């Protein structure tokens, strides 16, 4: 008997690799755990939201110029930020060498809006019309001080890559309501103006160690919204179907031999791609949208791949039962020339965001959709680089920043949290990134402490070992 063969077609080395150092029975039982193959499970309790649309403003919008008015700063223009306020906080390499940290008041005016009297910047006239619908959090905070780890923490619950994205956790926990579309879709738009657009990495919509069927699918502009989805010339749908059937038969043989959940995931993904070949072109074709829709979303909405066009697609995806819809708009990283840069960003985003809220409300979707708008951290009160009366830059600031939420289960026309006179430190109701994610999962009917996945001998979750549901946000 050949000592290197323990089963027809399986070498000792392969078996030991698959069976966790020879503990075959235990490993096989784990691999055959139905949870690993489950496409979805029921919510832990009655949900308020059926889906999330996360409008991610990549690059970190300035809370001082949009959501957190500090009128008292006008009298402190160009004065040094007191050391007692900074309190030894670490700085980025971009400002650590500055000799001074001069206070830069916002050049933009704030007004109260709606019955709630919500304070918003003049840069957001369209969002201001929904002042009584949104809930602004002014006291969000994070540990990360640079873009990539901060965005990774926001999206995956850890600063180091390799963990599943928020949308993948939702797909794992709830699945999709539409068999022809993925549960998690991501879209990226570039700024229309000349501003610093930070890169984004695919791990932001990665399934990490979760089964790969839960990976986010990126939609792009162009003839093929999903790359490599269309059949190449000469391949008919019937021929593609026959190829998939033959491939699935081979994969099922592999699955029976090795019981690897990823083999089942591969079968599922091929089938999903085949169904998407019919569903995606119709979904992504905006040509049949009425003219007034494009007028509502603004002048950029007819350009494929813009934030405005992606907002229209977000509404269409929500209508078709996609659980988690993530829009990334790059370009908020204004280390210099912030006044002109942030104007350009608000031109790109303000009107489309408001139009999306309006359409969701009119179609009855806002009642069961959670909408989140915000970036990965905030901006400093002191100027980076040269300060003038009408121009300044702002560096990264993780200690406090602002986002807003709207829709299912969220208080309307509400402000949570308070910062000091410099929008530098939190005075009241701090909300950590883990708390935000725990609250969003709660609104989907998922207990963040129970939504776990065993990997390498440990039960992982989106919020790691942290996070509390923020009751002050809940309606």
């Amino acid at each position: 008997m050949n000592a290197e063969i323990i089963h027809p077609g399986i070498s000792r080395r392969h078996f030991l690799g698959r069976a966790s150092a020879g503990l075959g029975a235990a490993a096989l039982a784990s691999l055959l755990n139905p949870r690993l193959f489950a496409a979805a499970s029921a919510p832990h309790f009655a949900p308020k939201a059926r889906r999330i649309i996360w409008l991610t403003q990549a690059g970190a919008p300035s809370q001082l110029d949009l959501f957190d008015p500090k009128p008292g700063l006008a009298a402190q223009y160009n004065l040094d930020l007191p050391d007692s306020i900074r309190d030894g906080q670490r700085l980025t390499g971009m400002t650590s060498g500055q000799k001074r940290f001069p206070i830069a008041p916002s050049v933009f005016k704030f007004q109260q809006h709606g019955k709630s009297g919500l304070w918003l910047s003049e840069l957001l006239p369209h969002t201001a019309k929904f002042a009584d619908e949104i809930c602004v959090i002014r006291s969000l905070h994070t540990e990360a001080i640079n873009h990539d780890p901060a965005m990774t923490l926001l999206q995956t619950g850890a600063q180091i890559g390799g963990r599943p994205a928020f949308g993948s956790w939702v797909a794992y926990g709830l699945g999709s309501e539409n068999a022809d579309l993925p549960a998690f879709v991501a879209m990226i738009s570039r700024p229309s103006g000349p501003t610093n657009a930070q890169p984004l990495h695919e791990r932001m919509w990665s399934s990490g160690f979760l089964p790969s069927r839960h990976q986010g699918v990126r939609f792009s502009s162009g003839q093929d919204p999903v790359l490599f989805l269309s059949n190449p010339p000469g391949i008919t749908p019937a021929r593609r179907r026959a190829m998939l059937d033959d491939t699935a038969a081979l994969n099922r043989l592999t699955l029976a031999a090795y019981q690897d959940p990823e083999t089942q995931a591969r079968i599922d993904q091929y089938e999903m791609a085949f169904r998407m070949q019919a569903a995606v072109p119709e979904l992504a074709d905006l040509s049949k949208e009425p003219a007034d829709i494009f007028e509502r979303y603004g002048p950029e909405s007819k350009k494929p791949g813009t934030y405005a066009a992606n907002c229209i697609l977000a509404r269409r995806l929500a209508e078709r039962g996609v659980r988690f819809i993530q829009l990334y708009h790059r370009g908020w990283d204004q280390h210099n020339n912030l006044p002109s840069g942030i104007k350009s960003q608000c031109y790109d985003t303000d009107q489309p965001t408001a139009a999306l809220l309006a359409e969701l409300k009119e179609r009855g979707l806002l009642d069961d959709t959670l909408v989140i708008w915000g970036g990965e951290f905030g901006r400093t009160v002191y100027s980076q680089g040269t300060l003038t009366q009408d121009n300044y830059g702002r560096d990264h600031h993780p200690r406090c920043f602002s986002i807003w939420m709207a829709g299912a289960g969220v208080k309307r026309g509400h402000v949570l949290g308070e910062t000091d006179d410099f929008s530098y430190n939190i005075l009241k109701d701090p909300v950590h990134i883990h708390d935000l994610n725990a609250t969003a999962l709660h609104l989907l009917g998922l207990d963040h402490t129970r939504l776990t996945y065993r990997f390498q001998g440990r039960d992982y979750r989106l919020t790691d070992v942290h996070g509390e549901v923020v009751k002050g946000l809940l309606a």
Side-chain angles (χ1 to χ4, degrees):
M1 177 178 177
N2 188 339
E4 287 301 309
I5 302 296
I6 62 174
H7 186 280
I10 305 179
S11 69
R12 180 188 299 274
R13 180 178 298 169
H14 198 161
F15 177 81
L16 293 177
R18 291 286 181 179
S20 300
L23 299 177
L28 189 59
S30 175
L31 287 173
L32 292 176
N33 185 337
R35 180 179 69 166
L36 301 182
F37 293 93
S41 59
H44 298 135
F45 44 83
K48 298 291 185 182
R50 293 172 62 183
R51 69 194 68 83
I52 290 178
I53 299 177
W54 200 307
L55 306 175
T56 314
Q57 310 303 314
S62 168
Q63 77 281 3
L64 283 152
D65 298 278
L66 296 176
F67 302 110
D68 196 6
K70 300 297 177 183
L73 292 178
Q76 301 188 60
Y77 168 78
N78 204 26
L79 297 181
D80 288 337
L81 180 69
D83 290 339
S84 60
I85 299 298
R86 191 159 64 86
D87 194 25
Q89 180 210 10
R90 65 181 179 135
L91 305 174
T92 71
M94 292 167 285
T95 54
S96 60
Q98 285 191 186
K99 295 181 179 179
R100 296 185 59 223
F101 298 98
I103 292 171
S106 177
V107 298
F108 302 106
K109 298 177 181 178
F110 281 75
Q111 288 184 336
Q112 289 181 288
H113 297 273
K115 295 180 180 178
S116 61
L118 189 69
W119 287 94
L120 291 171
S121 167
E122 63 179 309
L123 292 169
L124 302 171
H126 298 279
T127 302
K129 297 175 184 177
F130 290 87
D132 291 333
E133 295 287 343
I134 67 177
C135 177
V136 175
I137 306 173
R138 289 181 180 161
S139 53
L140 208 61
H141 64 102
T142 181
E143 294 87 24
I145 198 169
N146 286 312
H147 295 287
D148 186 75
M151 187 63 77
T152 306
L153 177 61
L154 175 67
Q155 300 297 284
T156 72
Q159 294 188 49
I160 300 174
R163 302 283 185 91
F166 195 124
S168 295
W169 281 110
V170 173
Y172 165 65
L174 298 175
S176 178
E177 294 183 309
N178 188 331
D180 298 332
L181 291 171
F184 176 18
V185 170
M187 293 178 279
I188 300 175
S189 53
R190 290 185 57 85
S192 62
T195 186
N196 186 20
Q198 286 288 329
L200 290 168
H201 300 280
E202 290 191 1
R203 65 172 172 270
M204 301 306 170
W205 50 92
S206 167
S207 58
F209 47 71
L210 291 177
S212 56
R213 71 167 66 89
H214 304 306
Q215 171 121 347
V217 175
R218 180 182 171 184
F219 279 30
S220 305
S221 59
Q223 292 184 341
D224 274 337
V226 179
L227 297 179
F228 312 116
L229 183 65
S230 301
N231 288 328
I235 301 296
T236 64
R239 188 172 181 185
R240 173 65 72 193
R241 179 70 266 170
M243 293 168 64
L244 289 177
D245 289 341
D246 290 342
T247 303
L250 293 172
N251 280 328
R252 281 192 289 271
L253 290 174
T254 304
L255 178 63
Y258 302 119
Q259 301 297 333
D260 187 344
E262 277 303 304
T263 305
Q264 181 63 52
R266 188 179 303 123
I267 296 171
D268 294 343
Q269 287 173 312
Y270 284 154
E271 292 300 319
M272 170 64 78
F274 184 75
R275 296 191 298 271
M276 286 172 63
Q277 285 185 328
V280 169
E282 180 275 332
L283 163 70
D285 182 8
L286 303 185
S287 63
K288 295 181 182 179
E289 289 283 345
D292 68 294
I293 293 296
F294 294 106
E295 291 175 4
R296 295 178 76 172
Y297 281 83
E300 301 293 317
S301 60
K302 289 188 176 182
K303 301 176 184 177
T306 62
Y307 179 82
N310 287 349
C311 279
I312 299 176
L313 278 174
R315 185 260 296 162
R316 292 169 68 89
L317 287 163
E319 289 176 319
R320 288 159 175 78
V322 174
R323 289 281 190 190
F324 198 91
I325 304 154
Q326 187 124 32
L327 274 61
Y328 292 93
H329 187 64
R330 299 164 60 194
W332 291 93
D333 190 25
Q334 284 119 17
H335 290 275
N336 50 50
N337 299 322
L338 183 144
S340 61
I342 202 169
K343 277 184 183 178
S344 177
Q345 289 297 101
C346 290
Y347 165 80
D348 288 345
T349 60
D350 179 43
Q351 184 174 350
T353 298
L356 175 61
L357 289 175
E359 279 212 279
L360 292 174
K361 187 173 182 180
E362 292 166 5
R363 297 172 187 233
L365 290 168
L366 192 58
D367 291 337
D368 59 7
T369 301
L370 175 63
V371 182
I372 303 174
W373 190 105
E376 65 269 37
F377 44 62
R379 291 279 160 183
T380 57
V381 67
Y382 59 80
S383 178
Q384 178 178 342
T386 303
L387 170 65
T388 68
Q389 289 284 353
D390 58 4
N391 199 15
Y392 47 86
R394 298 195 191 277
D395 200 5
H396 307 166
H397 189 60
R399 280 194 185 181
C400 64
F401 62 108
S402 300
I403 70 163
W404 60 256
M405 307 169 74
V410 174
K411 285 184 178 178
R412 300 179 177 184
H414 183 68
V415 173
L416 182 80
E418 181 183 346
T419 61
D420 62 19
D421 292 339
F422 302 92
S423 191
Y424 206 91
N425 298 296
I426 295 171
L427 299 181
K428 183 180 179 183
D429 297 327
V431 178
H432 189 269
I433 293 296
H434 292 308
D435 302 326
L436 173 69
N437 289 344
T439 305
L441 287 176
H442 176 85
L443 290 168
L444 288 169
L446 295 170
D447 182 341
H448 71 107
T449 66
R450 294 166 58 192
L451 183 66
T452 62
Y453 188 87
R454 181 160 288 269
F455 177 66
Q456 295 183 339
R458 175 190 163 190
D459 285 335
Y460 283 86
R461 68 190 208 211
L462 173 63
T463 53
D464 197 38
V465 296
H466 312 284
E468 298 287 342
V469 174
V470 184
K471 300 294 179 63
L473 295 173
L474 306 180

